[in-house]
Amino acid sequence: MPLLLKNFYNATKNKYKLKLICGEHGLCQEVSWVYYSEDLHTTNYIRNGNLVITTGMIINSEKNLKKFICEIIHRNTAGLFINIGHYLQETDINRDIIEYCNAHNYPLFVFPWEIHIADIMQDYLNRIVLGQHYEESLTKAFINLIHRPDREELYKEEIGSSSFMQVKNYCIICFSPHNKQIAPESRELILLQGRNAMNTYNTPYLFFPYFYYYILIISDSMCKNIENIVTILENIFLHESQACRIGISNSVSKLTELSESYKQAIGAVTIAAVRQVSPLYFEKLGIYQLLLSIEDKRILHQFSNIRLSILAEYDRVHNTALSATLKIYLENSCSLQSVAEQTFLHRNTINYRMKQIRQLLPVDFSNATTRMEYLIAYAIEEYLKTQ
């Protein structure tokens, strides 16, 4: 599960005589690695989520320490450990520094000179490697569960021993960035900040990239705060200039039902692209729920083509917009005035187009069943464009 800074601190504070000076509200930050640094000239190598350790050998002053901290906060690091007693003293961490760290929820720790930095780094790096291996195994198990729920041997052991077994409700949220080729640094930052935000809920979750999607599996109290979670993560994507569409599955009470939840989330994000609406809940897809359930797409093609191909071909040959006009006409309950207002055309123009349509399509649009069939055909047409 997440490699939280507070877990490292709680597990080792006595062993290494750690003292938290400030930034307590940032302890839910996730630690991706440990980086030893002594001056501003090395900060370019620091990665997102790194826990920084220093003796202050070159910093050696309150002013330089403040500059150093400002820089590593800007680098999205998880926190700072200062080995005090030789180059820096605890008194060098002045009120200005403390207030700055608190304002940025940035944890700053000190530990005495007799504690060896190498011991802390080796200990923490071992924990990180083991934690990352565990999370990779758990993610793989959930992917197996999603795609092969009938093969328990592919996921039962890993998931069965996880904290996911202690909760009751589950939901999947799928994020689909408009730009499929996200730069590695932005990708890394989205995952890190997304996980840091989810860590505050103190309940099991998984957030991982999968093909061109980002998949978030949430549980319990997070399921009750979906709107807030979606807003937070959407803003994280936008901060990295990555607008995205979002699809949300129904909540389920059994882990084995997550396979269906995954299909729902993918379906919802697909239809979000069709309808240009996001976020989109599967339960609000209407007719698209039925379309998504039909695996044989040839049936859908046939249903749509029988009704729409004549107008489509006429529009192609004559450079007209009869098919689009009919769609708007049906969506507006066959009101010529409403279509005219929506398309900014004169009512007589719409009336003329409808006469052309009736000549090409010998059907009665006053019949409710006919109108429904054509609206379904248009929904199918839009849906199939995403396949």
Side-chain angles (χ1 to χ4, degrees):
M1 296 309 289
L3 298 165
L4 305 187
L5 181 55
K6 69 176 182 180
N7 294 339
F8 286 87
Y9 174 55
N10 290 333
T12 64
K13 61 182 177 182
N14 294 328
K15 181 178 180 180
Y16 299 122
K17 300 180 181 179
L18 299 174
K19 180 180 178 181
L20 176 62
I21 300 297
C22 51
E24 181 179 0
H25 293 300
L27 287 176
C28 283
Q29 298 291 310
E30 189 164 328
V31 180
S32 62
W33 203 243
V34 181
Y35 187 87
Y36 173 69
S37 178
E38 290 294 358
D39 67 274
L40 289 169
H41 299 295
T42 66
T43 56
N44 288 335
Y45 301 99
I46 298 176
R47 301 282 300 274
N48 297 317
N50 280 184
L51 174 62
V52 181
I53 298 183
T54 187
T55 66
M57 179 172 55
I58 299 177
I59 298 170
N60 203 26
S61 73
E62 295 178 9
K63 182 179 179 180
N64 287 336
L65 178 59
K66 174 68 179 297
K67 289 182 179 178
F68 181 75
I69 291 173
C70 290
E71 181 63 23
I72 61 177
I73 288 178
H74 176 70
R75 299 280 173 182
N76 298 298
T77 58
L80 174 64
F81 279 28
I82 301 178
N83 193 192
I84 59 170
H86 191 68
Y87 301 109
L88 288 173
Q89 308 299 322
E90 186 172 337
T91 53
D92 291 320
I93 306 171
N94 58 35
R95 180 173 296 277
D96 183 37
I97 290 173
I98 291 173
E99 289 178 352
Y100 184 80
C101 289
N102 281 331
H104 289 80
N105 295 324
Y106 188 76
L108 189 157
F109 305 83
V110 297
F111 62 100
W113 187 254
E114 64 265 21
I115 302 296
H116 294 176
I117 285 180
D119 292 337
I120 296 180
M121 291 187 66
Q122 183 176 1
D123 183 355
Y124 281 22
L125 290 174
N126 286 338
R127 292 171 187 266
I128 291 170
V129 170
L130 290 174
Q132 290 175 343
H133 176 72
Y134 172 75
E135 185 161 350
E136 289 171 3
S137 298
L138 187 61
T139 300
K140 183 178 179 180
F142 269 98
I143 292 173
N144 289 333
L145 168 61
I146 285 169
H147 293 295
R148 296 300 305 272
D150 57 318
R151 296 281 303 277
E152 288 190 358
E153 70 275 12
L154 297 177
Y155 60 83
K156 187 174 182 180
E157 182 177 352
E158 287 82 0
I159 297 179
S161 61
S162 73
S163 54
F164 276 94
M165 297 302 295
Q166 302 169 13
V167 295
K168 298 179 180 180
N169 299 302
Y170 311 91
C171 177
I172 293 182
I173 305 174
C174 176
F175 299 83
S176 178
H178 295 180
N179 177 15
K180 302 303 181 183
Q181 303 298 327
I182 299 179
E185 185 174 345
S186 291
R187 181 187 180 99
E188 178 184 272
L189 194 56
I190 287 170
L191 289 171
L192 178 67
Q193 293 186 345
R195 288 168 177 164
N196 285 340
M198 296 305 99
N199 291 337
T200 61
Y201 286 90
N202 197 33
T203 189
Y205 76 91
L206 272 180
F207 184 46
F208 57 93
Y210 191 53
F211 293 106
Y212 296 119
Y213 301 118
Y214 288 77
I215 303 298
L216 175 62
I217 302 175
I218 61 176
S219 62
D220 275 359
S221 61
M222 296 176 82
C223 293
K224 302 173 185 177
N225 291 278
I226 286 180
E227 291 186 8
N228 187 46
I229 287 171
V230 166
T231 299
I232 291 172
L233 286 173
E234 187 174 26
N235 287 335
I236 289 173
F237 277 95
L238 289 174
H239 187 265
E240 292 303 307
S241 300
Q242 300 296 331
C244 64
R245 298 183 180 92
I246 304 167
I248 305 167
S249 77
N250 295 335
S251 294
V252 297
S253 59
K254 297 179 181 178
L255 275 169
T256 52
E257 296 175 336
L258 278 179
S259 177
E260 187 61 29
S261 292
Y262 174 76
K263 294 177 184 177
Q264 291 177 356
I266 295 296
V269 84
T270 299
I271 302 305
V274 172
R275 296 174 55 183
Q276 297 293 304
V277 176
S278 183
L280 194 56
Y281 291 78
F282 181 80
E283 63 184 18
K284 296 181 180 179
L285 293 187
I287 186 63
Y288 291 102
Q289 289 188 28
L290 298 179
L291 302 184
L292 289 166
S293 68
I294 299 175
E295 295 184 3
D296 189 348
K297 301 300 184 257
R298 293 174 300 178
I299 297 174
L300 299 178
H301 277 287
Q302 184 179 26
F303 186 95
S304 179
N305 285 340
I306 287 174
R307 290 159 180 81
L308 303 182
S309 59
I310 293 175
L311 289 184
E313 179 63 16
Y314 186 90
D315 285 339
R316 186 186 68 80
V317 173
H318 298 88
N319 193 30
T320 54
L322 298 186
S323 184
T325 300
L326 176 59
K327 180 175 182 292
I328 298 172
Y329 177 75
L330 295 173
E331 289 174 342
N332 284 274
S333 302
C334 302
S335 168
L336 294 175
Q337 186 61 38
S338 295
V339 178
E341 292 173 358
Q342 185 171 331
T343 58
F344 302 102
L345 296 172
H346 196 277
R347 190 175 187 277
N348 290 342
T349 301
I350 303 302
N351 191 35
Y352 175 72
R353 289 185 182 182
M354 287 308 303
K355 287 180 180 179
Q356 288 181 290
I357 290 170
R358 290 189 178 93
Q359 290 174 355
L360 293 168
L361 302 177
V363 296
D364 181 10
F365 290 115
S366 66
N367 182 280
T369 300
T370 300
R371 293 198 303 273
M372 178 184 67
E373 288 177 354
Y374 272 81
L375 284 171
I376 291 173
Y378 279 114
I380 291 173
E381 184 180 60
E382 290 182 333
Y383 166 60
L384 291 176
K385 289 178 181 178
T386 67
Q387 302 303 297

